[in-house]
Amino acid sequence: MSSLIEMLLPCVAGLDPYIGYLHEVHHGQPAMVLDLMEEFRALISDNVVLSVLHKHEIQPDDFNESLGAYRLNETARKNFLQAFERKMNDEFKHPVFEYRCTYRRAIELQARLLARHLQEGIPYKALALR
C-alpha cells in the first residue's frame, strides 16, 4: 500500500493519521496508520511473504547484500509486489457486513468501523477470518 493511501484511509474515516491508540505518537510517524496495519499484518503481509517463499517465487539468490543489509533485486521485488497486489485483490466475505469484499476494501471498512468505535463508542471487532 502506498504511503499516500495509508495516510488517506484514516482521514476518509474521520481519523487523524498521526494520533494512534496502540503506537506512541512521534513526530512524523502516522500512529493511526500503524495501528490499522497491525490488524492486517498476519492476514496480508505475513501471508504474502510465506506464499512467495513456499511457491519459490523468491529464492536466496534474489537478494543482494550491501553494508550488512539484504535487499531484493529488481525482478524479485516486482514478483513480490505482484503477489501483494494479488492478495489485496483477493475476495472474502466480510464477517461484519456479510458481503464479499477485497482486502483493499476491507482496510477502508475497518478504518470506518474503528472511527465509529473511537468517536461513538460502538464496539469494534478486529477483522478475523475463519
Side-chain angles (χ1 to χ4, degrees):
M1 189 182 301
S2 73
S3 297
L4 180 59
I5 298 298
E6 291 171 345
M7 298 299 289
L8 290 177
L9 279 175
C11 295
V12 166
L15 300 170
D16 185 329
Y18 292 99
I19 300 174
Y21 61 96
L22 293 175
H23 291 83
E24 289 186 27
V25 176
H26 295 290
H27 178 70
Q29 180 178 331
M32 182 60 70
V33 173
L34 297 173
D35 291 349
L36 283 168
M37 286 173 56
E38 287 299 326
E39 184 173 340
F40 290 93
R41 182 181 309 275
L43 294 172
I44 299 173
S45 302
D46 294 353
N47 186 279
V48 170
V49 169
L50 293 173
S51 175
V52 298
L53 292 175
H54 178 72
K55 294 177 182 176
H56 304 288
E57 294 178 269
I58 292 180
Q59 301 287 326
D61 60 345
D62 289 329
F63 291 87
N64 298 320
E65 189 268 333
S66 175
L67 303 172
Y70 290 86
R71 299 182 189 277
L72 286 172
N73 64 36
E74 189 65 29
T75 303
R77 188 173 20 259
K78 286 179 184 178
N79 290 342
F80 181 83
L81 291 174
Q82 287 172 347
F84 176 78
E85 281 300 315
R86 284 193 307 268
K87 184 65 175 177
M88 292 299 287
N89 291 322
D90 277 354
E91 288 189 354
F92 63 94
K93 184 177 178 182
H94 194 282
V96 173
F97 298 105
E98 297 187 351
Y99 62 76
R100 295 193 64 74
C101 68
T102 63
Y103 282 96
R104 184 169 276 114
R105 174 74 171 131
I107 293 170
E108 179 187 351
L109 293 172
Q110 292 304 114
R112 291 181 186 279
L113 289 172
L114 180 60
R116 292 196 64 199
H117 169 71
L118 295 172
Q119 296 166 351
E120 302 170 27
I122 294 171
Y124 179 77
K125 183 178 178 187
L127 184 64
L129 303 177
R130 291 187 194 167

